[in-house]
Structures are given as C-alpha cells and as structure tokens.
Amino acid sequence: MSAIGANRYSPIDYFRTKALAEKELLEAFGKRGPSVTIIRPSLVFGDGDGFFKPVFAGDIGRTIEILSRTNDERILSDARNLVIQAGGPDVLTYRQLMELILKTTGRSRPILSLPFAIGTLQGALLEQLPENILTVTRSQVEQLKLDSVVSEPSQIVSLHGEKYTTLEAFIKQYGAEGQKELRSLNTVLPTYL
C-alpha cells in the first residue's frame, strides 16, 4: 500500500519515502520472485473512521481480495508489477467534503479556510507538542497543497518501464458480476454516520 503522489523526487518526505519503497520492491521482485502489485490510494473512507477520504475502504479491499485469491493467469499476469492509482468516483475539494459530512450528520458548523502560511505556522508549533488527534505537521500542510486525485488512464498502460492503471478500471475488468462499480462517498457515508 502506497499513496497517490508518491514521487521519489518530492520534497515531501511522506511521498518520497513511499516512492522509494515502491522502487525497492519492484527492483527486488520485478523480474522474478513473488508478484508485486502496488496500490496508491487517494484518501480512504470507511466505517469507524475519525476522518473521511473519497475512496471506499471496501473497494480497496475488493481489489486486494481479487489479487490474493485468484488463480486466473490473465489477472496474475496483468497485475504483476502493476501500480494501481486508487481514487473513488467523487472529486471533492476539502470544503465540499466537510460540507457533505456536516449535511449527512445534520450538523451546522462554520468552515473556516486558513491560508497555507497559517497552517504552516500551526504545524511548526504543534510538531513541538506531544502528538494528539489535533496534531498537524508542516509536511501535512504541504500535502494539502497538492491534488490527491487519480490522473492515470482507464486501462493498463506502460509508462517509463512501469505498468499503471486505475482502481476503477481494475474493478470494472476483474470485479465479480454486480460488483464492477466503485462506491460513491454520497451513497456510503449516510449508511454509517
């Protein structure tokens, strides 16, 4: 499991270390040995979360199940050394996500957008304190500046020697009948909030 935004040249430690780990796995097992499939989720949401992310955990779970339980040589071959960009069907701003959560829970709260400079100062201060649920780091603020959306094609393609696809394309191609669509935040969120 990696993350959308993984890039070995990123100035953000989180993204750089994810990409370096992917590189090590692909180099170690790429030609022989066990198959490697890397899943790069966007934000993940599911029952019991204290926060919400636009790709449903159950959809990632279905993908892992397909990959781990199959004996189908076509799936095994297609998935070998594959990077799956895992984002849900909804594209939301952070404000839209908060508005949806408030609407679904029947709450009314002001949403205050802060400039990134204020967030960076907040991160610098909170990094010095013991970690808690309110802790935010400067690196996390930097991550918020980047879009966390799937930008890969809707089929398996090769790019710079690596194979890529999207979670949506993978589920459509290999999901069981009746389970070929990703679940939307708008339909799943009301079932457990």
Side-chain angles (χ1 to χ4, degrees):
M1 191 70 68
S2 186
I4 282 185
N7 177 339
R8 63 183 138 200
Y9 304 109
S10 176
I12 299 170
D13 291 341
Y14 178 78
F15 291 137
R16 190 175 55 257
T17 57
K18 290 286 188 180
L20 292 172
E22 289 177 10
K23 181 179 180 279
E24 291 297 319
L25 281 169
L26 290 169
E27 286 177 0
F29 300 110
K31 301 276 189 254
R32 38 183 119 60
S35 177
V36 174
T37 303
I38 295 167
I39 300 176
R40 286 183 180 165
S42 178
L43 301 171
V44 180
F45 70 91
D47 191 13
D49 279 348
F51 48 95
F52 304 92
K53 308 167 194 167
V55 62
F56 182 48
D59 291 332
I60 292 175
R62 279 193 293 157
T63 302
I64 293 170
E65 179 183 16
I66 291 166
L67 291 167
S68 64
R69 296 183 60 178
T70 189
N71 290 324
D72 184 323
E73 288 299 322
R74 183 177 59 103
I75 296 174
L76 293 172
S77 175
D78 286 351
R80 184 174 188 79
N81 302 327
L82 179 66
V83 175
I84 300 173
Q85 294 282 351
D90 304 312
V91 178
L92 304 169
T93 65
Y94 192 74
R95 175 177 283 278
Q96 290 169 326
L97 179 62
M98 293 299 103
E99 289 169 349
L100 177 61
I101 292 169
L102 289 171
K103 179 182 173 190
T104 303
T105 59
R107 295 180 178 151
S108 176
R109 303 280 192 282
I111 299 172
L112 180 62
S113 298
L114 298 175
F116 284 116
I118 302 282
T120 302
L121 288 173
Q122 178 185 4
L125 174 65
L126 293 176
E127 287 173 352
Q128 307 308 311
L129 302 174
E131 189 172 324
N132 64 56
I133 195 166
L134 301 175
T135 300
V136 65
T137 66
R138 287 174 286 184
S139 184
Q140 290 169 327
V141 172
E142 286 299 310
Q143 289 177 37
L144 289 172
K145 293 179 181 179
L146 305 172
D147 290 335
S148 183
V149 296
V150 173
S151 59
E152 300 298 325
S154 60
Q155 58 189 3
I156 295 176
V157 298
S158 291
L159 182 65
H160 306 298
E162 294 181 356
K163 293 188 317 186
Y164 292 89
T165 193
T166 63
L167 181 67
E168 183 175 24
F170 189 87
I171 293 287
K172 280 184 179 177
Q173 186 166 356
Y174 301 117
E177 287 304 316
Q179 295 183 348
K180 292 187 177 278
E181 299 293 323
L182 296 181
R183 285 165 274 191
S184 168
L185 184 64
N186 291 303
T187 57
V188 177
L189 195 57
T191 65
Y192 65 86
L193 283 183

